[in-house]
Each structure stands twice: as C-alpha cells, then as structure tokens.
Amino acid sequence: AQSVTQPDIHITVSEGASLELRCNYSYGATPYLFWYVQSPGQGLQLLLKYFSGDTLVQGIKGFEAEFKRSQSSFNLRKPSVHWSDAAEYFCAVGPRLDDKIIFGKGTRLHILP
Amino acid sequence: DGGITQSPKYLFRKEGQNVTLSCEQNLNHDAMYWYRQDPGQGLRLIYYSQIVNDFQKGDIAEGYSVSREKKESFPLTVTSAQKNPTAFYLCASSEHQLGELFFGEGSRLTVL
C-alpha cells in the first residue's frame, strides 16, 4: 500500500541555521510529490511540488526539495531559517494511478532565537 | 480574491446532535475534499468529489455525510453516529484530480 513517512515529529533549529525535513514514500512508481506548511489554527499552504523533470524543485519562502528515486525520498531544505518558519510541515504524495493524495503525519518545526 | 471559505471557524455541539460545516470555493475547481486533522495524525480523508452530484468515501467516512449539488459548494455533515467528532476539519479543492490542493482556513468542532 502507498504510504508517506515523516520520521521526525519535532525538529528544533536555531534562527539562521540550515534545515532539512525528511520525507520517505512507498509506492511502485514515481508519484506526484508535495510539501505543505500549516501555521497553528490555519489551513495548509503549498510550498512546492514535483511532477516530473528536474529533481531539484524550488518553492516559495526560500524552500527547495530534492526528489531521489533511489531512496524514495523527497526531503525539504532551507539554507537559513527565520523565526516565521515555525510551523508544521506536511509531505504528501499523489499516486498516479489513484485519485487520492496521501499525507504524512507532519513535522513540527521550532525555531530558537 | 479567489479562494475557499469554510464556516463556521469554531463550532460547539452537544452529543447526539448533527452539525453541518460549510465549504464554498470560487476557484472554479472540479474536485473538492474534506479532511479531518487530529494532533499527531496528519490529515485523513473523509469524502471527496470530482464532479457535481458525485462523491466518494475516503478513509474515515463513517459517521459523516456530504452533498455536491453545486460546483462551488461541498458541505459536510457530522452526524450523531460519529463516535469522536471533536477535531479540526479542513476543506480543499483542486482543479482536477491529483492537482495541487488549495485549503480553507478550517473549522474546529468541539463536542461538549
């Protein structure tokens, strides 16, 4: 069955430090891949998406993600985090032969001043 | 501005009562979705609809019902049969299936 795993429930980084949030998926073929961000009590906003082509994807707010087929991963990165990046981040996959997008359980990012 | 509007933002319900959450979109999207979010559980799909007058059950449809009489509207009813209805509910839409999802601000339901 298709699945999405975000191994880290919480991550804490200092402001200005680099960030990497991990996402692994299980699927027999290359799915569509997404990263969303959610501020407390709000809806989700799309950061970036991968459908095909260049495996390094640029998104909004200075985020990027790299699709690695051999590792079934789609990790999210940012070179220097800001206090406003504190939020919950969700990885999602959209299997191409199905019609439902599956979400990981999320990683909550905390920023130290 | 185009977007998705959910109402109410906060709702309290007594046990045994049905409650309906509203979701309206003016993005002209074909597909609409309802998700339930609980702490540490991610988003779980309740129902989705790809076209007017048609909808499918998601992973946790029991105790919920929906309708899709208009393209822009996809209301969710939480019935008294839902054993644990207290949660944050998110509505989303997409231009077509497997397109990126656009989310509303959510509705928080608390059962007293």
Side-chain angles (χ1 to χ4, degrees), chain A residues 32 34 36 38 41-44 46 49 51 90 94-96 98-101 103-105, chain B residues 9 33 35 37 40-43 45 48 50 59 88 90 97-101 103-105:
Chain A
Y32 300 125
F34 309 86
Y36 287 86
Q38 183 183 33
Q42 302 294 312
L44 278 70
L46 181 71
K49 61 188 176 185
F51 282 5
F90 292 92
R96 293 173 187 245
D98 200 345
D99 52 10
K100 293 181 289 185
I101 292 178
F103 286 83
K105 294 190 176 182
Chain B
K9 190 168 179 64
Y33 307 80
Y35 288 90
Q37 187 176 22
Q41 295 297 315
L43 277 70
L45 183 63
Y48 62 104
Q50 295 171 5
D59 300 316
F88 190 56
L90 286 161
Q97 68 180 64
L98 297 183
E100 68 178 84
L101 296 174
F103 284 85
E105 294 289 293

Side-chain angles (χ1 to χ4, degrees), chain B residues 14-31:
Chain B
K14 293 182 179 179
E15 283 190 11
Q17 290 180 335
N18 292 354
V19 62
T20 297
L21 307 181
S22 170
C23 178
E24 303 278 333
Q25 55 101 355
N26 59 4
L27 300 168
N28 200 34
H29 285 171
D30 289 319

Side-chain angles (χ1 to χ4, degrees), chain A residues 86-97:
Chain A
E88 191 155 21
Y89 292 80
F90 292 92
C91 181
V93 299
R96 293 173 187 245
L97 298 181

Side-chain angles (χ1 to χ4, degrees), chain B residues 11-21 63-65 76-82 85 109 111:
Chain B
L11 186 61
F12 298 88
R13 186 194 92 176
K14 293 182 179 179
E15 283 190 11
Q17 290 180 335
N18 292 354
V19 62
T20 297
L21 307 181
Y64 300 96
S65 65
L76 173 73
T77 297
V78 185
T79 75
S80 56
Q82 168 52 233
L109 171 63
V111 174

Side-chain angles (χ1 to χ4, degrees), chain B residues 79-97:
Chain B
T79 75
S80 56
Q82 168 52 233
K83 300 299 183 192
N84 186 20
T86 295
F88 190 56
Y89 292 88
L90 286 161
C91 179
S93 71
S94 66
E95 190 171 356
H96 50 77
Q97 68 180 64

